[in-house]
Amino acid sequence: MKKDFISILDISRAELEGILAEAEKLKRQKKAGVAHELLAGKTLAMIFEKASTRTHISFEVGMNELGGHALFLNARDMQIWRGEEIRDTARAASRYVSAIMIRAYKHSTIEEFAEYATIPVINGLSDLEHPCQLLADIMTMKEHFGSISDLNVAWVGDGNNVCNSLILSTVLTGYDVTVATPKGYEPEETIVKKARSLGGHVKLVRKPEAAVKDADVIITDTWISMGDDKEREVRLKVFEQYTVDAPLLRLASKGARVLHCLPAHRGQEISDEVMEGGQSLVWDEAENRLHAQKALLVWLLKK
Ligand code: CP
Ligand code: NVA
């Protein structure tokens, strides 16, 4: 059966460990200048309904470094934008390429793609989840802290797609996640329930101070995700007290580190001081998108 990666829980704990070990190996090899063309002759189609910098670059460069090829497809230039059915696009594309990565507005678009495609489908971000981001985040935490199962991870801000994937990831990693959001901006209830039912440790609080107390890792993201632009003015007001800044960071554990999937909005969800400070791991995190996704591609595509 073909494998897909639409939710972070599409992989088991053991599979996550395998993917991370491969990612670390590929990272070491790249730094040492050792070629690893494990996917020669393979093509990844990358369909984007929304903007992207990191996801686009890291998947394209990743396929290139693995000896394969990546095809950038702006959804607006495809027939789906003129009404061709997803199930038809998925089946036709499956006859040309080895895997499809999609960044879509609706999670259901990616699920429908996966249902009809006969090749692996990867979620490059939807309104519900951003599992590729979590692969990189977990890799970055592991790289920095060594062991991650005992970490306290705090999320401050919007209970969005990245937050949902973080919550589900507790099931695979064992770390505790505490989420601080304003009322009405909590993560998806079904996601929280699912994580808890599978043994994940998730706490929802209101105040950022309550979430970051004793936290080893603080994670934040934009207050206005792609697709939320119409709520901009309201959101800027609602999230005013949710900036990850130096005073907030001082409440966390001594060696706490900060993650942000980027793009960042300095002065909103994160201060410039924290973003540029010694406790920020954001550039390692951005780099690890490349290594983690290469390992994911190898896991999905190598015979
Ligand atoms: N973090 C992330 O997915 O970045 P892009 O939107 O630039 O791809
Ligand atoms: N939550 C953000 C993540 C961007 C990478 C968004 O969906 O726009």
Side-chain angles (χ1 to χ4, degrees):
M1 221 178 73
K2 68 151 175 143
K3 294 181 268 195
D4 296 311
F5 188 63
I6 297 174
S7 165
I8 188 72
L9 288 189
D10 283 346
I11 52 174
S12 65
R13 206 177 248 253
E15 285 166 339
L16 172 67
E17 277 167 20
I19 290 168
L20 291 180
E22 178 76 17
E24 285 157 14
K25 184 170 129 200
L26 293 172
K27 184 170 184 174
R28 274 195 309 275
Q29 287 182 336
K30 178 171 175 169
K31 307 262 171 208
V34 177
H36 39 235
E37 301 197 339
L38 304 170
L39 298 182
K42 307 274 188 197
T43 300
L44 173 73
M46 310 183 293
I47 302 175
F48 286 92
E49 289 184 357
K50 301 175 177 179
S52 169
T53 297
R54 281 141 288 267
T55 306
H56 179 175
I57 301 175
S58 54
F59 268 111
E60 185 158 338
V61 171
M63 275 309 279
N64 190 35
E65 289 178 357
L66 289 167
H69 179 72
L71 194 62
F72 173 76
L73 299 163
N74 185 333
R76 283 169 182 73
D77 298 330
M78 296 174 72
Q79 299 289 11
I80 5 179
W81 221 251
R82 297 179 56 249
E84 182 174 12
E85 293 195 20
I86 289 165
R87 56 188 170 151
D88 296 350
T89 309
R91 282 174 292 180
S94 297
R95 301 289 178 108
Y96 305 125
V97 301
S98 323
I100 305 176
M101 190 285 301
I102 319 170
R103 169 166 286 196
Y105 281 95
K106 291 196 296 207
H107 194 71
S108 58
T109 301
I110 304 177
E111 286 177 329
E112 195 175 340
F113 245 103
E115 188 183 339
Y116 288 93
T118 53
I119 53 173
V121 171
I122 301 168
N123 177 358
L125 181 148
S126 70
D127 53 354
L128 191 68
E129 273 206 60
H130 195 0
C132 294
Q133 185 63 51
L134 257 292
L135 284 185
D137 289 10
I138 296 166
M139 179 175 177
T140 308
M141 289 187 251
K142 196 164 164 271
E143 204 170 59
H144 183 80
F145 291 98
S147 160
I148 57 172
S149 57
D150 293 330
L151 293 180
N152 288 319
V153 181
W155 175 274
V156 177
D158 189 17
N160 64 15
N161 42 10
V162 180
C163 178
N164 288 334
S165 290
L166 171 69
I167 287 170
L168 292 175
S169 74
T170 59
V171 176
L172 304 179
T173 57
Y175 49 53
D176 289 3
V177 172
T178 306
V179 176
T181 67
K183 196 167 167 19
Y185 295 86
E186 295 86 357
E188 279 292 320
E189 207 181 317
T190 49
I191 295 270
V192 176
K193 277 197 180 140
K194 185 169 183 180
R196 284 180 178 153
S197 74
L198 294 169
H201 298 137
V202 189
K203 218 158 93 185
L204 304 186
V205 298
R206 200 54 79 207
K207 288 195 181 319
E209 293 78 7
V212 305
K213 192 179 171 303
D214 299 327
D216 304 297
V217 181
I218 300 176
I219 314 185
T220 189
D221 184 16
T222 181
W223 295 338
I224 305 153
S225 283
M226 291 178 278
D228 293 337
D229 305 278
K230 282 199 213 85
E231 300 167 24
R232 186 182 164 79
E233 294 314 315
V234 175
R235 283 175 170 265
L236 288 179
K237 199 98 209 101
V238 167
F239 287 101
E240 244 170 22
Q241 305 301 317
Y242 287 77
T243 304
V244 175
D245 56 13
L248 190 72
L249 188 49
R250 278 198 285 275
L251 303 177
S253 293
K254 204 158 174 285
R257 290 293 179 271
V258 176
L259 296 181
H260 188 313
C261 63
L262 308 179
H265 309 79
R266 290 170 168 83
Q268 293 182 23
E269 75 275 4
I270 192 164
S271 69
D272 183 61
E273 190 183 1
V274 169
M275 177 91 181
E276 301 294 338
Q279 286 171 271
S280 160
L281 291 180
V282 300
W283 308 118
D284 288 340
E285 180 187 11
E287 177 185 336
N288 286 338
R289 291 291 302 277
L290 172 70
H291 311 298
Q293 286 159 197
K294 280 166 74 179
L296 172 71
L297 288 163
V298 170
W299 179 72
L300 288 170
L301 289 175
K302 216 172 142 211
K303 284 269 177 301

